[in-house]
Amino acid sequence: MTVLPDDGLSLAAEFPDATQEQWQRLVEGVLRKSGREVSGDAAEDALSTTLEDGLRTRPLYTARDTAPDPGLPGFAPYVRGGRPEGGIAGGWDVRQRHAAAPDGAVLTDLENGVTSLWLLVGRGGIPVSGLARALDGVYLDLAPVVLDAGRDTEAAAAGLFRLYDEKGIDPKAVRGNLGADPLGYEARTGEALDFAPVAALARRVTEEFPGLRTLTVDALPYHEAGGSAAQELGASLATGVSYLRELTEAGLGVEQALGQLEFRYAATADQFLTIAKLRAARRLWARVTEVSGAADAG
């Protein structure tokens, strides 16, 4: 262990603070070697990178660069989270996707750090009839379950409700999402789905399962089809607003309808753009909830 002397010791004490101008002169020297004569801000701009949607990232960010006030966690515009204590009291929610569930696979994941389950059910995934076997031994009041069942959402939800009843799970303890996403399903497959069964599920969930959600606004189909970050955001917001209108027309209040939605976005290797996209999504949806008359319910 290193012990500092009584009078303190700053390892950087003998080095003067570097300035933006010094950085730019170094950049000018590098560019000059490549045959480019630029100076000042133009030299730094030459190292900037143009991204999709006309965004540009600079090579260096300092305290001179400002950004809008992100606010505090739990307060508008919610870019730092919807609750002061964070989304999960114990830390991150680690959600594992299962397109198949060999005996013991789900329990093994839960025993090794997974905290919630994302189950592909129906076509190309776990058969609806196999849902009970896939969740055998799982404490359903502790591990949230998120379904991804497409055209089989209604049947998969009925199977999950039956499991809750058979295991005697308190409806107030249920967490997760039934994963209904008619527009996302249509974007992936070209097959349209009727929203009426989804609205019926949402009404039941609102009345019986206060901690459960019915719909997932999944932006992955647009990202996987080559959409940019802005296009992914635009498609997800349009989907969210469409679902909000459908749910309120089906009899839910605005706050109840908002409580039935969950958003899913792609996270890529560009971690800074991903963070910016997630924060933008929060800020944009906060604006939607504000104009819908329920600013604190989104």
Side-chain angles (χ1 to χ4, degrees), residues 22-247:
Q22 288 175 312
W23 154 253
Q24 289 178 347
R25 285 198 294 272
L26 291 172
V27 171
E28 292 168 12
V30 172
L31 293 174
R32 190 175 297 114
K33 293 178 181 178
S34 65
R36 301 181 64 180
E37 286 291 341
V38 290
S39 60
D41 291 340
E44 192 169 343
D45 287 340
L47 297 185
S48 296
T49 302
T50 300
L51 305 176
E52 297 171 324
D53 307 309
L55 299 174
R56 285 176 64 81
T57 56
R58 300 179 62 80
L60 178 69
Y61 289 92
T62 69
R64 294 167 56 178
D65 297 287
T66 59
D69 182 5
L72 298 172
F75 296 91
Y78 302 104
V79 294
R80 296 179 62 193
R83 296 188 296 177
E85 67 272 25
I88 301 295
W92 286 93
D93 175 23
V94 181
R95 182 174 297 175
Q96 178 62 46
R97 183 177 184 271
H98 286 268
D103 290 345
V106 168
L107 285 178
T108 298
D109 280 342
L110 291 171
E111 291 168 356
N112 286 278
V114 166
T115 56
S116 69
L117 303 170
W118 174 5
L119 303 182
L120 179 62
V121 181
R123 184 188 305 178
I126 301 166
V128 174
S129 60
L131 191 58
R133 181 173 180 179
L135 294 173
D136 185 38
V138 174
Y139 291 102
L140 295 176
D141 53 343
L142 298 179
V145 175
V146 176
L147 300 178
D148 187 353
R151 188 170 289 279
D152 296 310
T153 295
E154 195 175 4
L160 190 59
F161 291 151
R162 188 162 49 250
L163 279 177
Y164 291 144
D165 184 56
E166 291 173 354
K167 292 177 178 288
I169 305 299
D170 182 356
K172 295 181 180 179
V174 171
R175 298 290 183 272
N177 195 311
L178 300 181
D181 185 21
L183 293 178
Y185 181 80
E186 185 171 358
R188 282 191 186 279
T189 66
E191 302 174 16
L193 292 180
D194 183 12
F195 195 86
V198 177
L201 281 174
R203 287 194 296 269
R204 178 179 178 183
V205 166
T206 300
E207 294 170 0
E208 300 180 21
F209 301 94
L212 187 65
R213 297 174 188 257
T214 304
L215 290 112
T216 297
V217 179
D218 191 355
L220 297 187
Y222 315 106
H223 168 79
E224 292 168 357
S228 66
Q231 290 169 333
E232 187 182 349
L233 287 170
S236 68
L237 289 172
T239 300
V241 170
S242 177
Y243 290 163
L244 185 58
R245 287 174 174 160
E246 292 275 9
L247 292 174

